[in-house]
């Protein structure tokens, strides 16, 4: 059987929450034993659309990311489970909690390094999470409900061999865990940081169009852009690190040193050239 991977193109996600809603529709009130017992009405999201606001007003971008079990090949949850067959990996790569064998010890929940993907059902005394809709796949479906309902084809469940080219240009969530747990969920278009601002002439009280902005990373190659018709500049897709920025327009100039994107995106606000 071909192993499956999730490929999620977050650049296409518009935050509609369809994936989250249909997961509830599929699992709340429905017993898919031995794949899953019913999901609680509230409190659990086996796939959850997380929203992150980047930057500060008025230089703001919003990033969405469907968040689910990573179905790791070296899953810490399986390693932590002390009960044979309670947590297992299928031949297709999906990690499943067997609700008939789970004892409610919570060791798997504590072991998962990805926050908010392993849940505990207090009423049923079992751990629960995304199953990849394995019950539907076993019944002939080609994809889980979240992928089927996505209007922008953000979420895809694919054969690993078929997805090789996409995987090659994709990232994983928490890359520091990639080699340790070997997740099977890949993200395309995860946003990197930006540095932005608006350049203006305080004497003329006008924005400056066409000012030359040169951004130089520590030990790297400079990038050069010009301010647009609103006096704005955006340096996007920046790796975390320290940057120096120089802005010039004629004889007027302004310099910034040590701009650090490791913590957050940077909005420099209104920049007066004098």
């Amino acid at each position: 059987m071909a192993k499956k991977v999730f490929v999620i193109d977050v650049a296409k996600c518009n935050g509609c929450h369809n994936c989250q809603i249909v997961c509830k529709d599929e699992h709340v009130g429905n017993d898919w034993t031995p794949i899953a017992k019913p999901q609680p009405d509230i409190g659990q999201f086996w796939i959850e659309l997380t929203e992150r606001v980047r930057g500060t007003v008025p230089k703001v971008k919003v990033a969405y990311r469907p968040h689910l079990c990573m179905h790791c090949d070296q899953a810490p949850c399986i390693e932590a489970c002390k009960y044979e067959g309670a947590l297992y990996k299928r031949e297709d790569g999906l990690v499943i909690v067997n609700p008939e064998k789970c004892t409610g010890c919570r060791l798997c929940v504590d072991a998962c390094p990805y926050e908010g993907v392993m849940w505990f059902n207090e009423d049923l005394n079992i751990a629960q999470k995304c199953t990849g809709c394995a019950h539907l796949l076993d019944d002939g479906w080609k994809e889980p409900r979240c992928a089927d309902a996505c209007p922008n084809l953000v979420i895809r469940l694919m054969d690993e061999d078929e997805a090789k080219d996409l995987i090659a240009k994709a990232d994983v969530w928490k890359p520091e865990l990639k080699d340790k747990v070997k997740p099977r969920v890949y993200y395309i278009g995860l946003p990197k940081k930006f540095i932005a601002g608006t350049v203006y002439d305080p004497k003329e009280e006008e924005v400056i169009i066409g000012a030359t902005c040169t951004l130089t990373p520590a030990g790297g190659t400079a990038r050069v852009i010009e301010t647009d018709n609103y006096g704005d500049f955006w340096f996007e897709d920046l790796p975390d690190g320290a940057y120096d920025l120089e802005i010039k327009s004629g004889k007027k100039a302004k310099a910034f040193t040590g701009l650090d994107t490791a913590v957050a995106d940077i909005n420099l606000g209104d920049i007066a050239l004098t």
Side-chain angles (χ1 to χ4, degrees):
M1 177 183 293
K3 279 196 170 185
K4 303 288 186 180
V5 295
F6 280 92
V7 179
I8 301 176
D9 190 342
V10 295
K12 296 179 179 178
C13 183
N14 63 6
C16 73
H17 286 80
N18 273 11
C19 56
Q20 191 169 305
I21 293 168
V22 297
C23 181
K24 282 290 184 185
D25 180 68
E26 184 64 28
H27 291 284
V28 170
N30 293 321
D31 190 334
W32 304 118
T33 301
I35 299 299
K37 290 286 187 183
Q39 183 182 141
D41 292 6
I42 59 174
Q44 290 192 20
F45 297 99
W46 296 358
I47 183 169
E48 183 173 11
L49 191 68
T50 60
E51 176 183 301
R52 182 162 63 93
V53 178
R54 305 166 51 215
T56 55
V57 175
K59 300 293 187 292
V60 174
K61 291 183 180 291
V62 179
Y64 301 102
R65 179 175 60 86
H67 186 57
L68 67 158
C69 171
M70 299 292 145
H71 296 281
C72 307
D73 276 343
Q74 295 180 3
C77 58
I78 295 177
E79 294 176 6
C81 183
K82 305 300 182 184
Y83 301 94
E84 185 176 354
L87 247 167
Y88 64 96
K89 176 172 279 291
R90 290 166 36 120
E91 289 184 7
D92 61 6
L94 296 175
V95 174
I96 302 295
V97 179
N98 186 329
E100 296 178 307
K101 294 186 177 181
C102 179
T103 65
C105 70
R106 305 190 191 213
L107 292 174
C108 58
V109 179
D110 294 337
C112 179
Y114 295 98
E115 297 87 355
V117 300
M118 290 285 296
W119 302 85
F120 191 78
N121 188 320
E122 297 283 354
D123 293 336
L124 299 179
N125 194 42
I126 57 173
Q128 294 186 297
K129 65 174 195 66
C130 164
T131 67
C133 286
H135 64 290
L136 293 178
L137 301 183
D138 292 345
D139 200 35
W141 281 56
K142 301 299 183 184
E143 57 189 1
R145 286 288 303 277
C146 59
D148 179 67
C150 181
N152 292 339
L153 303 179
V154 173
I155 304 171
R156 285 184 284 176
L157 183 67
M158 307 174 67
D159 289 348
E160 188 170 25
D161 289 342
E162 178 189 2
K164 278 185 177 179
D165 290 344
L166 293 175
I167 291 172
K169 63 180 182 180
D171 298 307
V172 296
W173 190 244
K174 292 192 173 183
E176 67 275 14
L177 296 173
K178 181 178 180 180
D179 293 334
K180 182 178 179 180
V181 303
K182 301 188 184 304
R184 303 190 68 78
V185 177
Y186 295 91
Y187 290 95
I188 296 174
L190 283 175
K192 295 182 180 179
K193 301 296 176 51
F194 68 74
I195 296 175
T198 302
V199 183
Y200 74 100
D201 185 326
K203 291 184 178 179
E204 298 294 332
E205 296 185 347
E206 293 285 350
V207 299
I208 299 177
I209 300 170
T212 301
C213 306
T214 304
L215 187 71
T216 307
T221 304
R223 292 172 57 180
V224 181
I225 60 175
E226 293 185 349
T227 53
D228 62 18
N229 289 339
Y230 303 97
D232 293 340
F233 65 87
W234 293 80
F235 288 97
E236 301 190 67
D237 297 322
L238 300 176
D240 289 353
Y243 295 84
D244 294 336
L245 173 64
E246 184 179 48
I247 304 170
K248 288 184 176 181
S249 178
K251 295 182 179 180
K252 300 176 180 180
K254 180 86 172 182
F256 298 85
T257 59
L259 298 173
D260 190 355
T261 59
V263 176
D265 303 273
I266 298 174
N267 171 22
L268 293 171
D270 295 336
I271 303 166
L273 284 197
T274 56

